[in-house]
Amino acid sequence: MKKILLTIVAIFAMSTMSNAQIQDLGVRIGYGGEVSAMWGVGGNRLETDLGWNSKYLGFTATYQWTWELGSGFSWFAGVGGRLAVYDDKFSLAVAGQIGLEYNFSFPLQLTLDWRPGFMLIPNTEFVGSDVCLGIRYRF
């Protein structure tokens, strides 16, 4: 199951890279950790995260809209999905995301966001939510 997930992630990442330009690269830290990348897509962005903790390995992608608040601050909201392997079982979930970010005058971005999820496969249930701190290098 992990090989299937990693294959899907690799295919998605390659197709994303051919159509978009990377904006930020870093980590999200909450209940576990994620390697995080943001891609410019039109005037919006796509956040892709490869995450893990003691219970799962997963890939999340959310399409996000951003709104400037001024002085380096902005807020964002988005929707997407998550593929994960929990205890050798495949799961598919939809995810939302909302948060605040600060872009420093040098190439560093800090974010604080909340990402709730709703599992569709193998069960239909709320899978909880994470509040995470993101630290990314801006290109």
Side-chain angles (χ1 to χ4, degrees):
M1 205 45 82
K2 288 182 184 178
K3 290 180 184 179
I4 293 170
L5 176 63
L6 291 176
T7 302
I8 292 169
V9 168
I11 291 168
F12 181 79
M14 286 185 283
S15 67
T16 301
M17 286 186 263
S18 66
N19 296 323
Q21 182 178 10
I22 193 164
Q23 292 178 331
D24 308 300
L25 186 62
V27 296
R28 287 180 76 242
I29 303 164
Y31 179 69
E34 296 179 339
V35 176
S36 179
M38 287 190 186
W39 309 84
V41 179
N44 300 311
R45 65 187 184 198
L46 177 70
E47 180 178 333
T48 56
D49 303 303
L50 182 60
W52 64 93
N53 67 21
S54 61
K55 296 182 180 182
Y56 81 96
L57 168 67
F59 175 77
T60 305
T62 55
Y63 186 81
Q64 299 174 347
W65 296 268
T66 60
W67 297 272
E68 296 295 321
L69 296 173
S71 299
F73 283 99
S74 58
W75 73 281
F76 58 92
V79 295
R82 177 173 40 204
L83 299 171
V85 176
Y86 293 89
D87 302 322
D88 293 329
K89 295 177 184 169
F90 174 78
S91 108
L92 174 66
V94 293
Q97 189 169 9
I98 188 167
L100 294 169
E101 67 186 29
Y102 183 75
N103 292 298
F104 291 92
S105 58
F106 49 94
L108 182 69
Q109 177 190 69
L110 293 178
T111 64
L112 183 64
D113 66 72
W114 176 59
R115 184 189 292 158
F118 189 79
M119 188 182 311
L120 302 173
I121 297 173
N123 303 316
T124 305
E125 63 183 285
F126 181 70
V127 291
S129 59
D130 292 342
V131 174
C132 290
L133 173 67
I135 304 166
R136 295 183 188 88
Y137 176 81
R138 291 183 304 135
F139 291 96

